[in-house]
Amino acid sequence: MKPSKSFLLYLFVLNILISSCSTDQVADEEEQGSNSELSEAENIQLFPEDHPLNLDISNAPIDSKSDQILENMGLDNGLFADFGSGTYQGAPIGIPYTVVNQGQAKVPIAFRGNNYDGNYGEESDQGPFPIPLNAPIEGNGEGDSHVIAIDVDNGMLYELYNASQVGNGFEASSAAVFDLNKTTFRPDGWTSADAAGLPIFPLLVRYPEIEKGEIDHPIRFTIGRSKIYEGYVHPARHLVSGERNDNLLPFGARLRLKSDFDISSFSEINQIILVAMKKYGIILADVGSDMFISGAPNELWDNDDLRSLRSVTLDNFEVIDMGEIKN
């Protein structure tokens, strides 16, 4: 006896549903695997405990020029989470990174300028670097185009700026290597993959940190060039040309969220971010949009929730004592 048309339709729909579930399950497993791999970077020490980027600044003195600097920056400027889930203009939102181990093959790095920026090869660490050829590139190659790889077996960090994958390696404007086992810094006056000569990865908001319940480092942020002092403070190593007025903020300077700022109305995730800003602060690392804080893309971010950070304005911060500004 032939099956009825309704029965055949039932089998057809059932097959689609099973296939859809299987596809979703594979996608979920791939996402979980990806997050598990990225979490490996949270299991290693990012610089020794005495490194400046690991120091608790919750009791550090306030800089004497704090008020005038913040007023010049705009007290009503709020935080903007420059990271999230999904895509913006076709690219993942944030600065991506990849985790490698000691078996990762090393590839050559060629330095060049292009229509986005110049060639800073003389201030760069030379390759080859253990970066996979399919490593994610920030913005899918548009804008700063950072590429970041963390060797979790050896505690080494490799970062490229204005990078593109070409042939059997990468081309870039600059490159920096950081030994995460040592308290060392870039040579004075040298850039990195960041304009301030700082590492990028240890200053990103990363979702696996949220899952651990703590961000234990300062968070990278940007402001417009007209508000940046032509100089830098330790541990930054590099400056950008501009002016040197008392109401400007140099690279490497930190802002701290005031201890009495009430965070109880924010989500648990945003509270973790804000607690870090009270304990470790935010650190000026590059030229960019005002009060953009940097993080890594992850499909687990809730973009609507992150937008609530915009209500945290500059009048709730203070500039901690900057010490000597190098020119």
Side-chain angles (χ1 to χ4, degrees):
M1 183 175 70
K2 288 185 178 180
S4 67
K5 290 183 178 180
S6 60
F7 181 71
L8 290 174
L9 179 61
Y10 166 77
L11 290 178
F12 177 73
V13 172
L14 181 62
N15 184 60
I16 290 177
L17 290 173
I18 292 172
S19 297
S20 175
C21 291
S22 298
T23 301
D24 290 343
Q25 182 178 1
V26 170
D28 289 343
E29 288 175 353
E30 287 179 351
E31 178 63 32
Q32 291 169 3
S34 175
N35 283 324
S36 174
E37 178 182 281
L38 296 182
S39 297
E40 293 179 27
E42 309 306 328
N43 298 326
I44 65 172
Q45 178 69 34
L46 301 181
F47 298 120
E49 292 184 1
D50 64 350
H51 193 285
L53 297 180
N54 288 328
L55 297 182
D56 181 344
I57 62 162
S58 54
N59 294 314
I62 302 172
D63 196 90
S64 61
K65 298 185 285 292
S66 178
D67 289 344
Q68 64 192 99
I69 290 173
L70 294 177
E71 287 175 8
N72 182 62
M73 292 170 64
L75 295 178
D76 59 349
N77 273 332
L79 298 172
F80 185 96
D82 194 21
F83 56 93
S85 60
T87 61
Y88 176 72
Q89 295 183 344
I93 307 170
I95 302 177
Y97 62 95
T98 190
V99 172
V100 302
N101 56 39
Q102 59 187 1
Q104 178 63 48
K106 294 185 178 182
V107 299
I109 310 297
F111 297 101
R112 50 93 179 107
N114 58 15
N115 59 4
Y116 186 76
D117 208 341
N119 184 341
Y120 305 101
E122 292 183 356
E123 297 178 14
S124 295
D125 292 309
Q126 308 300 303
F129 291 169
I131 301 177
L133 294 180
N134 64 349
I137 301 176
E138 180 190 11
N140 289 343
E142 297 291 331
D144 284 355
S145 301
H146 290 111
V147 174
I148 298 175
I150 306 96
D151 178 348
V152 293
D153 287 339
N154 296 303
M156 300 295 293
L157 172 63
Y158 302 87
E159 300 185 334
L160 307 178
Y161 161 66
N162 190 23
S164 54
Q165 195 282 308
V166 178
N168 65 343
F170 288 86
E171 293 182 350
S173 282
S174 65
V177 179
F178 295 90
D179 187 339
L180 300 174
N181 305 293
K182 299 178 180 178
T183 303
T184 56
F185 310 96
R186 305 289 291 161
D188 258 337
W190 277 33
T191 188
S192 59
D194 224 346
L198 292 166
I200 296 173
F201 173 77
L203 305 177
L204 296 177
V205 180
R206 309 180 296 272
Y207 199 86
E209 295 179 292
I210 299 296
E211 294 176 318
K212 290 175 64 176
E214 180 185 20
I215 295 173
D216 57 1
H217 58 81
I219 297 169
R220 177 187 187 272
F221 82 103
T222 64
I223 55 176
R225 190 172 190 136
S226 65
K227 300 174 183 179
I228 298 177
Y229 185 97
E230 186 182 324
Y232 59 92
V233 297
H234 188 66
R237 292 315 228 205
H238 191 251
L239 54 77
V240 288
S241 60
E243 299 182 354
R244 295 177 180 171
N245 298 328
D246 287 345
N247 61 351
L248 302 176
L249 192 70
F251 279 154
R254 284 201 227 185
L255 309 184
R256 177 179 60 204
L257 186 61
K258 293 178 179 177
S259 60
D260 60 358
F261 180 77
D262 185 5
I263 65 173
S264 61
S265 64
F266 290 88
S267 69
E268 182 178 353
I269 286 176
N270 284 337
Q271 285 188 38
I272 293 172
I273 295 172
L274 295 172
V275 166
M277 292 182 180
K278 291 186 177 188
K279 188 173 182 179
Y280 298 98
I282 59 177
I283 187 166
L284 182 59
D286 207 344
V287 179
S289 299
D290 285 345
M291 301 311 298
F292 274 40
I293 58 173
S294 301
N298 196 296
E299 288 309 304
L300 297 177
W301 290 120
D302 181 335
N303 293 341
D304 290 334
D305 184 41
L306 291 173
R307 288 189 190 100
S308 66
L309 291 172
R310 295 181 185 182
S311 65
V312 185
T313 51
L314 264 176
D315 58 334
N316 297 298
F317 285 85
E318 50 208 4
V319 181
I320 69 163
D321 184 54
M322 295 183 289
E324 179 188 3
I325 302 178
K326 294 198 171 187
N327 301 316

